[in-house]
Amino acid sequence: MKRSMVIAASLLLGTSVLAEGDGIVRDGEYRYLEAQLGDQWAAQDKDIDAKLAEIRGTNGGKPPNIVYVLIDDVSFGILGNRAMNYVTGINTPNINDFADEGMSLMRMYTEPSCTPTRTAMLTGRHPVRAGQEEVKVALVGEGLAAEEVTIAEILKEVGYNTAHVGKWHQGDIEQSFPHNQGFDWAAFPVHQQVQLSLMTQDAMKANNMIGFDPSGETNPFAIDQRFRPYGLVTGLEAEAGQQAREVHMEAGEVWTQAKYHEMNVRYQAQAIEQINSLAAKDEPFFMQYWPLYPLNFVYDQEQQKSRNGGYMAEKMELLDEWLGEFFTAIDNTDKADNTIVVLMSDNGIFNYYSPNSGMMELIYRGGKTQHLEGGVRTDAFVRWPGVIPAGSAAGDIVHVSDLFTTFARVAGGMDYIPRDRVIDGVDQTALLIEGEGNSRRDYVYVYEGPLLRSIVKQDIKMHMPAPGLPGAAAPVFNLLRDPREMNPIIGIALWAGASFQDMTKRHTNMIAKYPHLPIGKGVPYGGIENLRPESIETREVFDSWH
């Protein structure tokens, strides 16, 4: 992996991988908490290390396997709750059962959209630090930089086999593809569901896409014949150290909703195949399954058990069936008792298509792309047999970046976390093992793209003031009393304003000391051995102005 580069960069920046403590560079707010609780945490860590050693001892000396399932655009309250099944008309019995088998993380924060959330989990860093600020649809020649160190690369260093199936959405350049970011094998689309389900004639006929398909709208005065994205690469498969290949797409073939569904069916089958293959080996494994459903923009199946009937709600029920099959496949291996499984969503619902999609706001206001709680609060569940009690829950604050550091800790890979950049992910192993009340985070910084839009601290949330306005003018909310963030309370602002300003300073001071790294750049669609002629053409048009 890039371990040698990380050490070299650490030396250039004047930091040391042998610094005091664990040497990991933390954000200012974490250090502020550590100054108050460091001795208590250090004592607890000794107990946690002993318990991790005991867990390994009962499993032949091997660390736990890790499976991470991340689904798209489902707001908090829709998953894993039978009561909400009746409220929404969306039945998710398999996810409900899974939620009952472990711990429900009741305050999981993500980023407001899919690319940033995935970057945060993979790198343990706010995506703005890696230049991964927003969702990209077509060719950009950008992506997750080779210099970023992913959790897959860390786990490879300690002997894990790794695989990725499903959505990736970390860029269209060779260095950003999963098989070049620590995964032994991967099946993934280069882009995402806007290309795969929305930029289709089917979506045009469903009145969800206007102006893209020429059969729905023509312009005899158009000069630029490449204004609309053309020739985009669809699904790739690849092994580490080899070039990728586009699969199930012929030259000149038009992408359709039917092909999108075939892709989802294929990923479901491959996810189960990979679980069985990885479990059959002697080494520990890390697998990601990131389904494309329920994100969908076409009525293309008969209504099944759902009373809802929305085109995304229908796919949510189908996905529930598939996840039931996937979890059963894990349970049928001989590694299930030593496997951590995490299931969560990447951000809130795609509000622009609600309510016709069947997805809706529930407790929290807002959705995808927004810093409101509805955009960045999602359901999350962790199952770890014999370690996490079934039916447990935790109201502690957790951020998706924490999974990076926590997975590294339980796998014995903390030494491979880079020491030359800020790591935002907090080690939440104590929360998983000791239960509710053991988080080491009571704060979250919430970005929209490159902009810090709000700060959460305990039960209080401040929306950042407009440029030029003092902190006292910022709206502040008590999330317990006002979960929809509609009634700012001046009484809170008066006492909390200075503290939030201090939090902002602690955060920006660390940015000044450790500036954001640039996004990776390169030739679009590099490292794909069988590009279709139309994909080569669209890359040439792209290159003509770069």
Side-chain angles (χ1 to χ4, degrees):
M1 73 174 235
K2 308 145 189 169
R3 179 62 175 163
S4 59
M5 291 191 294
V6 170
I7 294 174
S10 298
L11 296 175
L12 287 172
L13 287 172
T15 60
S16 171
V17 295
L18 300 176
E20 183 180 354
D22 63 14
I24 297 174
V25 180
R26 309 285 190 177
D27 202 6
E29 191 63 17
Y30 180 88
R31 292 299 187 193
Y32 182 72
L33 294 177
E34 187 179 47
Q36 302 173 56
L37 301 167
D39 291 343
Q40 176 181 323
W41 289 351
Q44 187 181 39
D45 279 337
K46 293 180 180 178
D47 293 336
I48 296 299
D49 285 339
K51 291 178 180 179
L52 287 174
E54 181 182 347
I55 292 167
R56 287 194 182 207
T58 61
N59 290 282
K62 294 179 180 178
N65 310 298
I66 302 169
V67 176
Y68 181 51
V69 182
L70 183 65
I71 65 177
D72 245 329
D73 293 11
V74 181
S75 294
F76 181 88
I78 293 178
L79 299 179
N81 188 313
R82 186 175 62 179
M84 289 298 101
N85 286 174
Y86 283 89
V87 170
T88 64
I90 304 171
N91 295 302
T92 58
N94 294 296
I95 294 174
N96 297 354
D97 289 346
F98 178 82
D100 290 341
E101 293 170 355
M103 176 185 288
S104 296
L105 299 176
M106 305 304 291
R107 250 190 122 177
M108 168 62 81
Y109 281 87
T110 66
E111 299 292 321
S113 57
C114 45
T115 295
T117 288
R118 293 157 204 270
T119 298
M121 180 271 162
L122 287 165
T123 67
R125 289 154 49 78
H126 282 303
V128 67
R129 299 192 195 276
Q132 293 276 76
E133 300 167 352
E134 60 182 353
V135 170
K136 306 292 177 64
V137 174
L139 264 67
V140 290
E142 297 175 347
L144 189 65
E147 289 74 21
E148 293 295 333
V149 177
T150 70
I151 184 60
E153 291 175 304
I154 288 173
L155 297 180
K156 285 298 297 177
E157 287 286 341
V158 291
Y160 278 64
N161 293 318
T162 57
H164 174 88
V165 176
K167 184 170 179 173
W168 178 247
H169 207 200
Q170 292 298 296
D172 59 12
I173 55 178
E174 185 175 6
Q175 64 185 286
S176 71
F177 294 157
H179 63 291
N180 296 319
Q181 291 284 351
F183 290 92
D184 299 322
W185 184 90
F188 62 103
V190 176
H191 303 291
Q192 33 80 308
Q193 295 96 322
V194 169
Q195 174 213 7
L196 299 171
S197 180
L198 192 55
M199 285 164 42
T200 64
Q201 187 179 90
D202 311 81
M204 179 270 293
K205 292 179 178 179
N207 205 36
N208 275 334
M209 173 55 71
I210 306 298
F212 176 76
D213 189 85
S215 68
E217 182 175 301
T218 61
N219 184 350
F221 307 107
I223 297 173
D224 182 1
Q225 299 302 307
R226 291 292 173 261
F227 177 58
R228 292 160 178 78
Y230 165 84
L232 301 181
V233 170
T234 56
L236 299 180
E237 294 180 8
E239 295 183 21
Q242 299 183 16
Q243 288 197 321
R245 288 187 58 82
E246 188 174 26
V247 296
H248 299 276
M249 192 69 175
E250 301 296 329
E253 189 175 5
V254 175
W255 185 264
T256 65
Q257 176 71 17
K259 293 192 73 65
Y260 176 57
H261 181 67
E262 291 170 5
M263 173 181 276
N264 280 274
V265 172
R266 184 168 70 249
Y267 288 157
Q268 169 69 6
Q270 289 175 319
I272 293 174
E273 289 171 2
Q274 285 301 307
I275 276 294
N276 290 329
S277 175
L278 291 166
K281 299 174 182 177
D282 192 51
E283 301 84 7
F285 63 82
F286 171 57
M287 180 181 166
Q288 294 186 157
Y289 180 24
W290 294 358
L292 297 168
Y293 286 154
L295 209 57
N296 186 59
F297 300 93
V298 176
Y299 283 102
D300 65 340
Q301 69 180 55
E302 292 184 10
Q303 184 175 345
Q304 298 185 6
K305 299 176 184 177
S306 174
R307 295 179 291 112
N308 181 310
Y311 46 84
M312 292 188 195
E314 290 171 344
K315 296 305 186 190
M316 186 66 250
E317 293 201 340
L318 177 60
L319 181 59
D320 179 76
E321 293 179 15
W322 287 355
L323 290 180
E325 295 171 0
F326 181 68
F327 297 144
T328 296
I330 296 173
D331 293 342
N332 287 340
T333 70
D334 61 356
K335 304 292 178 65
D337 287 342
N338 193 32
T339 299
I340 300 171
V341 184
V342 177
L343 168 66
M344 61 179 288
S345 174
D346 62 355
N347 48 251
I349 66 165
F350 210 153
N351 254 344
Y352 300 106
Y353 295 93
S354 177
N356 288 345
S357 68
M359 296 296 187
M360 72 295 290
E361 290 181 3
L362 291 172
I363 301 167
Y364 300 112
R365 182 167 64 96
K368 188 181 183 76
T369 76
Q370 297 178 308
H371 71 106
L372 299 170
E373 296 289 285
V376 295
R377 289 280 294 276
T378 70
D379 296 301
F381 314 105
V382 187
R383 186 182 76 177
W384 191 354
V387 179
I388 295 177
S392 58
D396 310 62
I397 292 178
V398 180
H399 186 260
V400 65
S401 63
D402 298 347
L403 296 177
F404 170 92
T405 314
T406 306
F407 290 168
R409 174 83 180 277
V410 301
M414 293 289 280
D415 288 346
Y416 297 96
I417 292 177
R419 265 69 171 176
D420 65 335
R421 64 199 70 177
V422 175
I423 300 297
D424 298 289
V426 171
D427 174 20
Q428 299 286 16
T429 309
L431 176 63
L432 299 186
I433 291 179
E434 299 290 345
E436 186 175 56
N438 285 282
S439 175
R440 297 184 180 181
R441 172 193 291 278
D442 69 347
Y443 66 94
V444 178
Y445 295 96
V446 185
Y447 280 82
E448 286 181 0
L451 300 177
L452 179 62
R453 290 298 311 278
S454 60
I455 303 176
V456 177
K457 181 73 170 181
Q458 300 169 11
D459 297 322
I460 311 299
K461 183 172 184 177
M462 181 187 75
H463 294 185
M464 300 300 290
L469 293 180
V476 180
F477 305 87
N478 182 310
L479 293 174
L480 292 177
R481 300 184 182 189
D482 182 19
R484 296 186 65 77
E485 299 166 78
M486 298 182 71
N487 301 291
I489 302 175
I490 187 63
I492 299 176
L494 290 175
W495 70 259
S499 295
F500 276 118
Q501 289 177 1
D502 289 345
M503 289 184 68
T504 304
K505 291 175 184 176
R506 287 193 282 271
H507 186 59
T508 56
N509 284 347
M510 288 302 293
I511 293 173
K513 188 173 182 180
Y514 294 89
H516 300 331
L517 297 179
I519 195 170
K521 293 185 179 293
V523 177
Y525 297 161
I528 302 173
E529 65 182 18
N530 62 333
L531 281 179
R532 289 174 285 127
E534 55 266 39
S535 299
I536 295 173
E537 180 183 349
T538 200
R539 183 171 67 181
E540 290 173 348
V541 172
F542 177 88
D543 288 343
S544 70
W545 61 277
H546 284 78

